[in-house]
Amino acid sequence: MTDVSQLGGGYADSMPDPEPTVEAVLQAARPGSPDAHLVVIAGPPGVGKSAATARIVELLPNSLWLDKDITASGFILQSARDRGLPESAAYGHEHYHRHLRPHEYAGPTAQACANLVGTRQVLLVGGWGPELAVDRLWTGLRQRIAPSRFTVIHLDAPPLEEWRRRMAARGSRSDSPWFEAFARKVTSQPVWEDASRVSTDRPLAEVVQVILNLLG
């Protein structure tokens, strides 16, 4: 399995156009069953999306976890190698944003929709970055998967030094002044107004409980 600790947040060093990804995701979405539920778990790298989701699927009956970093990181990194780019630049160039990122998010979205059957709750995990601000993506997803339920939960970053500690613990870059600039950029991304915001400045068990409460 590809080590994803160095991945995510690639948009921090670039000015991406979210539209290709928005269009690809909307085209990938399909209606699900009336009692199924698509839950998008979004947020910047290192805030605990994967850790929280892993615990939730242990506690939530009939749930499924899809993580776009796990499903897509291999081909993103291979594409960078094929283009003669270092892995550190895999997420920071125009080719990625225009041609690869749409597949990176549309593929897991299609798989998530295919699993919206019965009473299943599908947790789709990814950063989303600049797409978080595009209202028509989220309203469109809600319409396209209907009659399934739709929830977006954004895990907000903890205070800077706690966030730095978590990033360093997972092997991700956390040096100054790079990390301060990274944190400013990724936390300045607007988030869809109907998303539920969850603070991660608390123990993991409390984050998990807040999310479970939101899922009802």
Side-chain angles (χ1 to χ4, degrees):
M1 181 180 295
T2 302
D3 178 7
V4 299
S5 64
Q6 301 295 330
L7 307 181
Y11 51 84
D13 296 323
S14 57
M15 298 294 290
D17 176 7
E19 288 303 315
T21 299
V22 169
E23 289 298 330
V25 169
L26 289 176
Q27 289 180 22
R30 296 291 185 272
S33 299
D35 295 322
H37 189 184
L38 176 60
V39 183
V40 173
I41 305 290
V47 298
K49 298 187 298 294
S50 295
T53 304
R55 184 61 180 141
I56 289 167
V57 296
E58 291 178 351
L59 299 170
L60 197 63
N62 199 22
S63 59
L64 173 68
W65 169 20
L66 295 171
D67 190 316
K68 72 89 186 169
D69 274 347
I70 294 173
T71 60
S73 58
F75 81 76
I76 300 296
L77 292 174
Q78 186 60 52
S79 175
R81 298 184 197 107
D82 291 344
R83 294 171 65 82
L85 298 172
E87 291 186 357
S88 60
Y91 288 79
H93 56 89
E94 183 179 357
H95 180 77
Y96 161 72
H97 291 293
R98 184 162 298 279
H99 300 290
L100 302 182
R101 187 175 177 90
H103 295 291
E104 181 182 20
Y105 279 90
T109 299
Q111 190 174 7
C113 291
N115 280 278
L116 290 173
V117 296
T119 59
R120 183 173 292 159
Q121 301 205 57
V122 180
L123 283 74
L124 178 59
V125 179
W128 292 94
E131 294 83 16
L132 286 166
V134 182
D135 181 79
R136 73 181 186 88
L137 168 61
W138 307 107
T139 57
L141 265 179
R142 183 163 55 192
Q143 293 167 359
R144 287 172 184 253
I145 70 165
S148 291
R149 293 170 59 202
F150 181 61
T151 300
V152 177
I153 297 174
H154 187 275
L155 302 190
D156 294 341
L160 185 68
E161 291 309 314
E162 171 60 19
W163 192 8
R164 188 200 304 273
R165 184 190 66 78
R166 295 182 190 179
M167 292 284 276
R170 77 174 200 164
S172 297
R173 188 174 179 182
S174 59
D175 57 287
S176 295
W178 181 90
F179 185 72
E180 287 80 358
F182 162 83
R184 284 194 299 272
K185 181 67 178 288
V186 299
T187 57
S188 69
Q189 299 285 348
V191 177
W192 183 45
E193 62 181 5
D194 282 356
S196 296
R197 307 288 292 266
V198 175
S199 169
T200 61
D201 185 20
R202 63 184 84 186
L204 178 62
E206 293 183 17
V207 173
V208 169
Q209 188 58 58
V210 171
I211 295 173
L212 289 172
N213 291 343
L214 289 170
L215 300 183

